């Protein structure tokens, strides 16, 4: 979740960029850098560590001009170091690039560029971008065209900003996919670029948000917008209120809506700094479990409440397949009211967004007393669950304001996937080639999530909400790893729209719930093309035979499902262990739009609290 700030205008650029980066330092703090045009050439300052290190460097080696570009980094490829810090320059130093995102195919691109004699000076995926731009720039094209052509080679979600001493009056920025936002601010004879609004709200309230597959050429007098096919496009300018709440919501109506659409970015952030795609290694610095103790483990017990409990049920499939350990998932509120079998060969995993859920904390204390190794997956660093744990994985999802959890849920699924790979490696259950494939699959996930979260599909959900918002009962069905997603989908609908909804294993429908099915009981099915697809089709047919209405979450390209279901919401194909992260997104959106249609308080549903700190 890197921070980016750019400035073009009459004022001294460096102080403006640095102040903006301070407001974004939560987005990246392992290194920082600045590029500024000084007397017709690009000056670069980069330092490892927090932003304060770059500020000290600038005090000793000043650099200022009227066009500048700054970056705070949270590493994906390449360990934190000065050589891996952004901005990254071309060989001749004429062009520099900063990026927020992942270049999924960087290994192939790097190999091609190295075969053409280009020497790389960092370990990052970002460096391939600047070399591609430089190659196209040498052929007499302008910076915008060179950038556009270079981006056509990239796979994966990215936001980039480019600066060149040859065109010292502008910045070029582009967005690929729905991870990595780009905010463009309009000042009085000056312009700003940032990865998030807080960086520039001191200077302007007039904001444009760059959409996926759009680029902009920004000068001090304004911005021109284009599609990545080169065709001009129009962009709406929003006027943002000064109050912090409205500013934080940005272009969205509710925090929950914002947090749903942030997930392509938060999935990227959850991966950042933890994965070496070349070796297949997962580095979880705060996981202290030694290889010896990992090999000695005989079980994992996952304890959580609410949405986090359902996340644990998904994680059960991941740990059992990748780490070869049996997993039991328990409610925090129930765990200590029996005599659970826990010993020093148990990995006890607590999943809690807030880190302060009292039932989960009590279960952790019980497990510690029995000698288990305590691990926690939390979103709030410094929380009680983080402090109690021997090992910790942070969700890196950023603040979640909406009471109904969305981005923390999907982040915790990725965290369990990473932890399962980490444990599998330490236990000798996963070889390097298998790990690399698993991580390559993961690298593609943010882009796939971005496809599901394309705002152009919003009308589909609004139409469904209009059609069904006055229904009083829903049934959600899933099998295998997507059964917990049926539970989560039902929970989301009931907690924010106040519609009674029940999640159920699809294969168990005939053992009771089938009696409820009629034309007033819509049935939501997760019927993606996975190993239990045929079984799900059978369940859909049983619902239809009883005059039920079926809303199916299905895999893109599945035309057969249209002959069975009344309504279909598509997600891209993905490996089975990652499908839940995609299949839950349509259910979040459906619940959100249903609640809006019913006039409910989406962000603060009645009777609910974000963190349950009483038993």
């Amino acid at each position: 979740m890197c921070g980016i700030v750019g400035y073009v205008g009459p004022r001294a650029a460096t102080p403006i960029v640095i102040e903006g980066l301070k407001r974004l330092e939560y987005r990246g703090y392992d290194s920082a850098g600045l590029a500024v045009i000084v007397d017709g050439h690009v000056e670069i300052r980069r330092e490892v560590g927090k932003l304060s290190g770059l500020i000290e460097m600038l005090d000793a080696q000043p650099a200022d001009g009227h066009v500048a570009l700054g970056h705070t980094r949270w590493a994906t490829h390449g360990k934190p170091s000065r050589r891996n810090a952004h901005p990254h320059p071309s060989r001749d130093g004429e062009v520099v690039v900063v990026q927020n995102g992942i270049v999924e195919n960087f290994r192939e691109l790097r190999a091609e560029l190295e075969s053409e004699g280009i020497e790389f000076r960092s370990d990052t995926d970002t460096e391939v971008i600047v070399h591609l731009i430089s190659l196209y720039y040498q052929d007499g094209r302008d910076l915008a065209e060179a950038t556009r052509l270079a981006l056509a080679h990239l796979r994966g979600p990215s936001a980039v900003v480019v600066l060149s001493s040859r065109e010292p009056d502008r910045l070029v920025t582009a967005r690929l996919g729905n991870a990595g936002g780009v905010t463009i601010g309009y000042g009085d004879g000056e312009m700003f670029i940032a990865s998030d609004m807080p960086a520039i709200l001191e200077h302007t309230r007039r904001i444009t948000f760059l959409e996926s597959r759009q680029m902009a050429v920004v000068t001090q007098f304004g911005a021109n917008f284009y599609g990545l096919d080169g065709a001009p496009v129009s962009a709406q300018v929003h006027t943002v209120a000064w109050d912090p709440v409205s500013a934080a919501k940005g272009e969205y109506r509710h925090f929950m809506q914002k947090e749903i659409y942030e997930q392509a970015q938060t999935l990227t952030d959850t991966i950042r700094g933890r994965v070496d795609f070349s070796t297949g290694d997962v580095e979880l610095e705060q996981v202290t479990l030694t290889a010896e103790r990992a090999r000695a483990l005989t079980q994992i017990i996952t304890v959580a409440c609410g949405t986090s409990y359902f996340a644990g049920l998904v994680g059960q499939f991941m740990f059992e397949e990748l780490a070869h350990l049996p997993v039991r998932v328990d409610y925090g509120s129930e765990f200590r009211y029996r005599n659970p079998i826990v010993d020093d060969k148990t990995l006890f995993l607590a999943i809690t967004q807030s880190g302060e859920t009292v039932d989960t904390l009590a279960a952790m204390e019980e497990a510690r007393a029995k000698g288990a190794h305590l691990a926690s997956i939390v979103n709030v660093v410094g929380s009680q669950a983080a402090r109690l744990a021997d090992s910790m994985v942070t969700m890196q999802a950023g603040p979640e304001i909406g009471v109904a959890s969305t981005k923390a849920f999907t982040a915790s699924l990725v965290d369990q996937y990473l932890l399962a790979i980490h444990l599998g490696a330490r236990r000798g259950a996963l070889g390097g080639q298998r790990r690399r494939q698993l991580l390559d699959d993961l690298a593609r996930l943010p882009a796939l999530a971005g496809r599901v979260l394309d705002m152009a599909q919003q009308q589909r959900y609004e139409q469904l909400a209009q059609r069904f918002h006055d229904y009083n009962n829903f049934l959600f069905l899933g099998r295998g790893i997507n059964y917990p997603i049926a539970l989560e989908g039902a929970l989301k609908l009931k907690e924010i729209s106040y519609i009674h909804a029940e999640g159920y294993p699809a294969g168990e429908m005939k053992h009771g719930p089938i009696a409820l099915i009629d034309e007033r009981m819509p049935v939501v099915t997760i019927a993606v093309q996975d190993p239990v697809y045929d079984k799900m089709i059978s369940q859909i047919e049983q619902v239809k035979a009883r005059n039920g209405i079926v809303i199916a979450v299905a895999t893109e390209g599945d035309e057969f499902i249209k002959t069975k279901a009344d309504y279909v919401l598509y997600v891209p194909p993905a490996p089975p262990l990652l499908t839940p992260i995609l299949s839950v997104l349509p259910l979040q959106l459906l619940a959100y739009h249903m609640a809006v249609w019913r006039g409910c308080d989406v962000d603060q549903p009645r009777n609910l609290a974000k963190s349950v700190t009483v038993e």
Side-chain angles (χ1 to χ4, degrees):
M1 154 167 101
C2 304
I4 295 173
V5 181
Y7 174 80
V8 183
R11 292 192 279 167
T14 297
I16 294 170
V17 170
I18 292 296
E19 285 302 312
L21 291 177
K22 286 180 181 177
R23 293 179 173 85
L24 297 182
E25 193 168 11
Y26 70 93
R27 295 180 64 99
Y29 42 76
D30 63 43
S31 58
L34 176 87
V36 58
I37 296 178
V38 180
D39 297 330
H41 69 279
V42 179
E43 289 277 346
I44 295 176
R45 304 286 185 268
R46 300 186 296 186
E47 186 57 280
V48 69
K50 295 188 177 183
L51 182 62
S52 57
L54 176 64
I55 294 172
E56 291 176 5
M57 176 179 283
L58 286 166
D59 288 340
Q61 306 172 48
D64 210 349
H66 300 293
V67 179
L69 182 57
H71 188 274
T72 55
R73 181 175 186 250
W74 196 346
T76 53
H77 299 73
K79 295 185 181 298
S81 64
R82 190 176 290 178
R83 71 191 295 267
N84 287 331
H86 296 215
H88 287 285
S90 58
R91 288 182 294 179
D92 57 12
E94 187 176 61
V95 179
V96 297
V97 166
V98 298
Q99 178 210 13
N100 180 14
I102 294 175
V103 181
E104 294 174 4
N105 57 331
F106 89 100
R107 286 201 299 270
E108 302 97 296
L109 293 174
R110 178 166 178 153
E112 291 174 12
L113 290 166
E114 286 177 330
S115 70
E116 296 180 23
I118 293 176
E119 181 180 348
F120 279 71
R121 292 173 286 188
S122 80
D123 308 309
T124 70
D125 57 336
T126 305
E127 193 178 353
V128 302
I129 302 174
V130 72
H131 292 314
L132 285 169
I133 293 172
S134 182
L135 286 175
Y136 283 113
Y137 204 31
Q138 292 171 5
D139 294 333
R141 299 178 179 90
D142 64 19
L143 185 63
E145 180 68 3
T147 300
R148 186 182 72 82
L149 293 171
L151 294 181
H153 294 270
L154 306 188
R155 293 200 310 267
S158 287
V160 301
V161 188
V162 189
L163 174 152
S164 169
S165 58
R166 196 195 305 174
E167 298 176 57
D169 63 338
R170 65 194 57 204
L171 296 171
V172 174
T173 183
R175 184 181 180 192
L176 288 168
N178 289 316
V182 178
T183 301
I184 297 172
Y186 294 76
D188 185 9
E190 58 186 358
M191 294 288 289
F192 308 85
I193 296 175
S195 51
D196 206 357
M197 282 194 302
I200 58 177
L201 280 179
E202 176 186 352
H203 306 287
T204 180
R205 286 189 294 167
R206 298 177 63 236
I207 300 290
T208 291
F209 302 99
L210 204 61
E211 301 295 335
S212 176
R213 301 199 62 78
Q214 287 185 355
M215 62 185 298
V217 179
V218 181
T219 70
Q220 73 175 95
F221 304 110
N224 293 317
F225 296 86
Y226 306 88
L228 289 184
D229 59 359
V233 297
S234 59
Q236 183 179 358
V237 178
H238 304 266
T239 300
V240 179
W242 276 118
D243 69 277
V245 173
S246 296
K249 285 182 186 174
E251 62 196 299
Y252 299 101
R253 183 174 175 182
H254 299 96
F255 279 109
M256 182 180 178
Q257 183 190 27
K258 177 177 183 283
E259 287 155 9
I260 289 171
Y261 282 100
E262 283 178 341
Q263 286 173 103
Q265 177 64 56
T266 57
L267 293 173
T268 304
D269 298 338
T270 303
I271 300 167
R272 281 188 187 281
R274 296 169 165 174
V275 171
D276 187 324
F277 292 99
S278 299
T279 64
D281 292 330
V282 173
E283 298 294 337
L284 300 173
E285 292 183 359
Q286 293 173 294
V287 173
T288 61
L289 198 68
T290 64
E292 181 181 6
R293 190 162 186 188
R295 287 192 295 270
L297 292 175
T298 58
Q299 66 171 341
I300 297 174
I301 296 177
T302 300
V303 170
C305 300
T307 285
S308 293
Y309 173 79
F310 302 145
L313 292 176
V314 175
Q316 180 178 24
F317 288 81
M318 298 174 177
F319 288 116
E320 290 186 346
E321 179 169 334
L322 303 180
H324 294 182
L325 277 167
V327 179
R328 185 168 83 244
V329 185
D330 221 328
Y331 282 109
S333 56
E334 295 294 326
F335 177 78
R336 59 200 171 102
Y337 293 106
R338 61 178 193 276
N339 187 21
I341 299 173
V342 181
D343 57 22
D344 61 356
K345 295 181 180 179
T346 299
L347 174 62
F348 183 92
L349 176 62
I351 305 175
T352 163
Q353 189 280 143
S354 68
E356 302 293 345
T357 303
V358 66
D359 291 318
T360 302
L361 295 173
M364 292 179 73
E365 295 281 10
E366 178 85 3
R368 164 157 286 166
K370 291 175 178 287
H373 183 95
L374 298 190
S376 63
I377 294 177
V378 297
N379 197 34
V380 180
V381 177
S383 62
Q384 183 72 1
R387 297 195 301 272
L388 274 175
D390 303 303
S391 295
M392 181 182 67
V393 181
T394 55
M395 295 181 189
Q396 300 184 173
E400 189 175 65
I401 307 302
V403 168
S405 181
T406 52
K407 63 179 182 176
F409 176 75
T410 51
S412 68
L413 297 186
V414 173
D415 286 329
Q416 289 179 91
Y417 186 84
L418 291 171
L419 182 56
I421 295 171
H422 180 80
L423 286 176
R426 293 204 164 189
R427 288 171 53 80
L430 284 177
Q433 183 174 351
R434 171 72 166 136
R435 296 199 309 271
R436 284 192 293 273
Q437 182 58 60
L438 289 164
L439 295 176
D440 284 345
D441 293 340
L442 185 62
R444 289 188 285 272
L445 184 67
L448 299 180
R451 281 162 56 181
V452 181
L453 297 171
D454 187 344
M455 288 291 286
Q457 298 186 39
Q458 182 169 259
Q459 186 178 4
R460 177 68 168 158
Y461 294 95
E462 291 174 346
Q463 290 169 344
L464 283 173
Q466 183 179 8
R467 169 73 173 83
F468 291 108
H469 73 276
D470 60 348
Y471 282 63
N472 296 317
N473 299 283
F474 274 72
L475 182 63
F476 287 71
L477 299 177
R479 291 194 80 143
I481 197 170
N482 279 295
Y483 159 53
I485 300 305
L487 297 174
E488 172 62 9
L491 177 63
K492 282 293 156 287
L493 187 63
K494 70 181 98 177
E495 66 184 344
I496 65 169
S497 72
Y498 317 141
I499 294 172
H500 172 255
E502 185 173 1
Y504 221 78
E508 293 295 304
M509 178 185 66
K510 57 186 174 290
H511 296 290
I514 198 167
L516 299 173
I517 292 173
D518 60 19
E519 64 278 359
R520 292 295 299 175
M521 170 74 87
V523 179
V524 181
T525 64
I526 297 104
V528 293
Q529 290 178 327
D530 63 7
V532 294
Y533 173 75
D534 291 339
K535 303 291 186 183
M536 286 304 305
I537 293 297
S538 175
Q539 260 83 62
I540 291 172
E541 289 173 334
Q542 292 177 47
V543 172
K544 294 302 297 177
R546 289 154 180 83
N547 298 318
I549 302 169
V550 175
I551 303 169
V553 176
T555 303
E556 287 176 357
D558 183 359
E559 294 297 319
F560 178 71
I561 195 77
K562 292 181 179 179
T563 68
K564 301 297 180 181
D566 299 283
Y567 305 90
V568 181
L569 301 169
Y570 284 113
V571 297
L577 289 179
L578 296 177
T579 56
I581 300 168
L582 300 178
S583 60
V584 76
L585 302 178
L587 305 186
Q588 293 174 350
L589 288 166
L590 179 63
Y592 170 77
H593 286 287
M594 293 280 278
V596 170
W597 262 94
R598 290 167 66 89
C600 301
D601 188 341
V602 174
D603 286 333
Q604 295 181 314
R606 67 190 184 203
N607 305 330
L608 294 178
K610 187 64 178 172
S611 175
V612 181
T613 57
V614 294
E615 187 172 3

